[in-house]
Amino acid sequence: MTLMSITIRPEVRSDYSQITDVIDQAFAGKPYAGGDESDLVIKLRELDVLTLGLVAEFGGTFAGHIAFSPAAAEDGTEGWFALGPVAVYPQFQSVGIGGKLINEGLKQIKKQGAIGCMLTGNPDYYLRFGFGFSPNNVPTTESAAYFMMKRLNQAPQPLGPMAFHPAFYGASDD
């Protein structure tokens, strides 16, 4: 199969159980994972703050998912989003599915007015998409070793720590 066999589309309700499964399988045992990544996506949906959820199909088979949600800058800069989680079934990893999800998701949130995106994840993976370490913006609850940001336009870098949506920390309301 080739990258041409990868289809990216918006998530729909009938995808929800498969999304939970792919996230759980993709993050099992990862040092940057908290084990609650699928619960996070469910919570973001419940709070109606899942800005964008995309699904990848590989040769017509469900293969992956990516989520984007609002993020906050301490200095009040608006237009920041959090990427994550992005998940691909282990048997479909390393063929470009995650990359296609990330690139399409970044393109879509930029069209929605995003000025930047942040994440906590594997630096070896995200550096190739233009994300970089940003020690002055690390949220107080995150590890600087895994926190990265990417500006999507010429907006200045925000000042001070960033914050993921409260749902990332178990909050039940926004």
Side-chain angles (χ1 to χ4, degrees):
M1 299 213 162
T2 66
L3 287 179
M4 300 299 276
S5 303
I6 302 170
T7 302
I8 308 295
R9 63 170 174 78
E11 70 173 40
V12 294
R13 183 175 301 277
S14 60
D15 295 323
Y16 290 1
S17 65
Q18 194 108 44
I19 289 168
T20 297
D21 187 55
V22 71
I23 293 169
D24 289 346
Q25 286 194 39
F27 281 89
K30 302 292 189 234
Y32 44 81
D36 60 351
E37 290 78 13
S38 61
D39 294 337
L40 168 63
V41 173
I42 292 166
K43 181 60 71 180
L44 291 168
R45 270 193 220 110
E46 287 173 354
L47 296 173
D48 198 28
V49 293
L50 182 64
T51 305
L52 179 64
L54 298 174
V55 163
E57 294 176 341
F58 189 50
T61 301
F62 188 99
H65 180 263
I66 193 168
F68 290 86
S69 57
E74 186 176 83
D75 68 3
T77 303
E78 294 186 11
W80 282 90
F81 289 84
L83 182 163
V86 59
V88 176
Y89 276 118
Q91 67 268 31
F92 294 122
Q93 291 177 3
S94 300
V95 296
I97 295 170
K100 233 177 154 177
L101 281 166
I102 291 166
N103 288 327
E104 181 61 26
L106 290 172
K107 184 170 105 181
Q108 288 193 29
I109 65 166
K110 187 174 180 181
K111 283 183 185 175
Q112 293 180 27
I115 62 168
C117 190
M118 62 183 229
L119 60 84
T120 298
N122 182 352
D124 293 336
Y125 184 69
Y126 289 103
L127 286 169
R128 70 182 83 163
F129 298 100
F131 284 87
F133 295 103
S134 189
N136 295 329
N137 300 114
V138 177
T140 56
T141 56
E142 300 296 323
S143 166
Y146 298 114
F147 179 77
M148 304 178 82
M149 295 176 68
K150 177 179 180 165
R151 290 186 293 170
L152 300 175
N153 63 27
Q154 299 303 314
Q157 189 76 10
L159 302 174
M162 298 293 291
F164 290 93
H165 187 276
F168 278 72
Y169 310 108
S172 60
D173 59 21
D174 55 359

